[in-house]
Amino acid sequence: MAITSFKLLALTQAGYREMHNKPSDGNRPGKHGARPRTKPAEVRLDELMSAAERLFLDKGVESTTINEIVEAAQVAKGTFYHYFSSKSEMLEALGKRYTEQFLARLETAVDACAEGDWVGRLGAWIHASVVTYVDTFRLHDIVYTNHHHHDRSNPARNAILDQLLGIIEGGMAAGLWAPENPRVVALLIYSGVHGATDEVIANQSKDCTAFAQAITASCLHMLGVFPESSPATPKQ
């Protein structure tokens, strides 16, 4: 059977590619399905910050050099300066990331409770705050070495405080408690939780579960909630 000109052309092209080991269009770099040659910017930045975080925890900020950071992250030194002008600026970014991760852990614990269970949600927030702080206090002390709890301009503190205040106000709307000044209560719980947790850290306790439960119960008592004796009922 005769071969058409179209088939002949196709066979000729296929033979040429085979002779010269030339990849077809579907296998050429840049075509659909090809592996990316570089990582996305957000992935590269996250790996850079994670490398710095590990070194800061292992050696301390002052003893860690930028060269060591980029070597650990396997990036060029120029990549570091593309994102940060100095270690101090990177430390500030690590502080923001720490707060975001801290908030995310609290939110996960709270969201595990039923939507209208404000007693459970507040208890989960307090308990998760204790456990998360114990788990991450070394990094906290590195990234917030110059921060103070009384600094009202501290956005990290305010973000966590706003999260707590939202839970307290939710319980108020449900009629579970009625503090005269919910922000003052939020401040007392926030400061009390972190101050009390310092005691666990100082004592190097291996298991903070019982202590976290005690702090949670004490904070709930401030709002007139005694879950161990009877479930809370809406105030009239």
Side-chain angles (χ1 to χ4, degrees), residues 13-25 27-28:
Q13 290 175 333
Y16 180 85
R17 285 196 299 267
E18 184 177 356
M19 287 175 58
H20 294 272
N21 195 27
K22 184 177 180 179
S24 63
D25 286 348
N27 294 324
R28 288 176 183 168

Side-chain angles (χ1 to χ4, degrees), residues 157-184:
R157 167 188 171 279
N158 289 335
I160 296 173
L161 189 61
D162 287 344
Q163 187 185 52
L164 171 59
L165 185 58
I167 297 173
I168 293 174
E169 291 176 340
M172 291 176 64
L176 292 171
W177 44 67
E180 292 184 7
N181 192 324
R183 183 170 179 82
V184 169

Side-chain angles (χ1 to χ4, degrees), residues 66 68 79 109 139 146 149 164 168 170 185 189 200 207 210 228 231:
I66 292 175
E68 288 173 326
T79 301
L139 180 59
N146 295 321
H149 291 302
L164 171 59
I168 293 174
V185 174
I189 292 177
V200 178
D207 186 0
E228 68 275 12

Side-chain angles (χ1 to χ4, degrees), residues 40-59:
E42 62 272 15
V43 173
R44 191 164 60 246
L45 175 59
D46 183 71
E47 291 179 349
L48 180 64
M49 293 177 69
S50 295
E53 185 177 290
R54 291 191 297 270
L55 286 167
F56 290 165
L57 286 168
D58 184 46
K59 301 180 57 177

Side-chain angles (χ1 to χ4, degrees), residues 63-79:
S63 299
T64 299
T65 66
I66 292 175
N67 285 338
E68 288 173 326
I69 294 173
V70 298
E71 182 179 350
Q74 296 183 337
V75 298
K77 195 169 185 177
T79 301

Side-chain angles (χ1 to χ4, degrees), residues 8-190:
L8 180 60
L9 177 61
L11 290 171
T12 302
Q13 290 175 333
Y16 180 85
R17 285 196 299 267
E18 184 177 356
M19 287 175 58
H20 294 272
N21 195 27
K22 184 177 180 179
S24 63
D25 286 348
N27 294 324
R28 288 176 183 168
K31 292 294 182 180
H32 179 69
R35 297 180 62 183
R37 299 176 65 181
T38 59
K39 295 179 181 179
E42 62 272 15
V43 173
R44 191 164 60 246
L45 175 59
D46 183 71
E47 291 179 349
L48 180 64
M49 293 177 69
S50 295
E53 185 177 290
R54 291 191 297 270
L55 286 167
F56 290 165
L57 286 168
D58 184 46
K59 301 180 57 177
V61 177
E62 295 300 323
S63 299
T64 299
T65 66
I66 292 175
N67 285 338
E68 288 173 326
I69 294 173
V70 298
E71 182 179 350
Q74 296 183 337
V75 298
K77 195 169 185 177
T79 301
F80 179 95
Y81 287 108
H82 174 74
Y83 294 107
F84 310 106
S85 62
S86 63
K87 281 196 301 181
S88 296
E89 190 171 295
M90 170 177 263
L91 200 61
E92 183 179 348
L94 283 171
K96 292 178 181 178
R97 188 173 80 157
Y98 175 89
T99 299
E100 291 172 356
Q101 293 173 344
F102 196 101
L103 282 167
R105 287 185 62 169
L106 301 190
E107 187 173 355
T108 298
V110 170
D111 287 346
C113 302
E115 187 173 348
D117 181 12
W118 294 107
V119 173
R121 292 169 80 85
L122 180 57
W125 188 95
I126 296 168
H127 190 277
S129 292
V130 175
V131 174
T132 304
Y133 189 24
V134 170
D135 288 345
T136 64
F137 77 90
R138 290 185 62 236
L139 180 59
H140 172 278
D141 291 350
I142 288 174
V143 299
Y144 289 135
T145 183
N146 295 321
H147 284 204
H148 302 283
H149 291 302
H150 61 261
D151 181 4
R152 293 187 179 275
S153 65
N154 183 347
R157 167 188 171 279
N158 289 335
I160 296 173
L161 189 61
D162 287 344
Q163 187 185 52
L164 171 59
L165 185 58
I167 297 173
I168 293 174
E169 291 176 340
M172 291 176 64
L176 292 171
W177 44 67
E180 292 184 7
N181 192 324
R183 183 170 179 82
V184 169
V185 174
L187 283 165
L188 289 172
I189 292 177
Y190 171 85

